[in-house]
Amino acid sequence: MDFVKLNNGVKMPMEGFGVFQVPDGAVTEQAVLDAIDSGYRLIDTAAAYQNEEAVGRAVAKRIADGTVKREDLFITTKLWVQDAGYEAAKAAFATSLKKLRLDYIDLYLIHQPMGDYYGSWRAMEELYEAGKIRAIGVSNFYPHVLADLCIHAKIVPAVNQVECHPFFQQKDALKTMAEFGVVPEAWGPFAEGKHDIFKNPLLLDIAEKHGKSAAQVILRWNVQRGVVVIPKSTHKERMSENFAIWDFALDDEDMERIAELDIGHSEIVNHFDPNFVKMVGNWKIHE
């Protein structure tokens, strides 16, 4: 496992386990238990995923049975749009902390650049300075929005979690992040299965060359670009496969071939669509 050093000196694993769209309850709890047993130390959840409590139960079990120490884990959660703003963000953070059964969060992200995210950021800066969060960052912040926050905030975000996979490579976004010292993290590293990604001939050809699977090539490609990945699976065998990307490397030719797959836009979400913004802005995760 490789690590990346964030702009505040904190070390973050380059590969983690995501629980987006994993049902709350026993399924999420077992998935996180299996992920930790498979070697994952970064666990990524969010208030909007509605499964923080299940993640918290699994993490508590593995700490209690001695499988891991709390300091070996890197737990990420996110602030939802409904709770944007200074006071609301502080209250939402306290709720997430309680649900996760933790004394601190390793990485806390603004989930979407909507609502009063500047108020949220000020609250997060204070929570960071109080030692309740080891690093603060954002998610889905496109280059122009990220640049604006970086220029005007007291603390520059440590991470920007964005959609990033061979068919949407985010080259311009990565340049902006690099300029401001923000680490990119990929959600949907497998394009949520679109483009028949696991059967793509180019990716399969590269996979055969290295004796690996297409999924492993996809993840390895991103981490070699300096992008943290958080693949999701509820199958332990697949978790282990996804984690086995640290014993090989893609060469320059492989990287250049994969670069040709980029279509330059998302086919999962469109943050520039007013209807999408209205849907997200009106989505309530609690009363």
Side-chain angles (χ1 to χ4, degrees), residues 100-141:
L100 288 164
R101 305 184 182 194
L102 300 174
D103 296 322
Y104 65 90
I105 300 294
D106 295 279
L107 178 64
Y108 196 48
L109 305 177
I110 293 178
H111 204 150
Q112 299 281 353
M114 300 177 192
D116 181 16
Y117 60 83
Y118 265 95
S120 301
W121 192 253
R122 288 194 297 273
M124 290 164 60
E125 287 175 331
E126 290 183 9
L127 290 164
Y128 169 76
E129 291 174 336
K132 289 293 185 179
I133 312 171
R134 296 181 66 217
I136 54 177
V138 296
S139 180
N140 297 303
F141 274 52

Side-chain angles (χ1 to χ4, degrees), residues 135-181:
I136 54 177
V138 296
S139 180
N140 297 303
F141 274 52
Y142 276 71
H144 62 293
V145 184
L146 179 67
D148 179 65
L149 181 63
C150 288
I151 291 167
H152 295 105
K154 180 167 70 172
I155 299 175
V156 172
V159 171
N160 186 15
Q161 187 180 117
V162 297
E163 178 187 349
C164 194
H165 49 76
F167 296 99
F168 187 29
Q169 299 185 12
Q170 296 271 29
K171 295 172 185 176
D172 290 339
L174 294 188
K175 289 178 182 177
T176 300
M177 290 183 225
E179 177 184 350
F180 289 102

Side-chain angles (χ1 to χ4, degrees), residues 17 19 27-37 43 55 58-59:
F17 181 73
V19 296
V27 177
T28 293
E29 185 174 341
Q30 188 60 53
V32 174
L33 289 171
D34 289 342
I36 293 173
D37 292 345
I43 307 297
V55 170
V59 166

Side-chain angles (χ1 to χ4, degrees), residues 9 11 42 59 66 81 89 116 166 170 174 204 217 219 228 247 273:
K11 287 174 61 180
L42 188 167
V59 166
V81 180
D116 181 16
Q170 296 271 29
L174 294 188
L204 286 173
V217 166
L219 295 174
V228 176
D247 58 352
D273 179 1

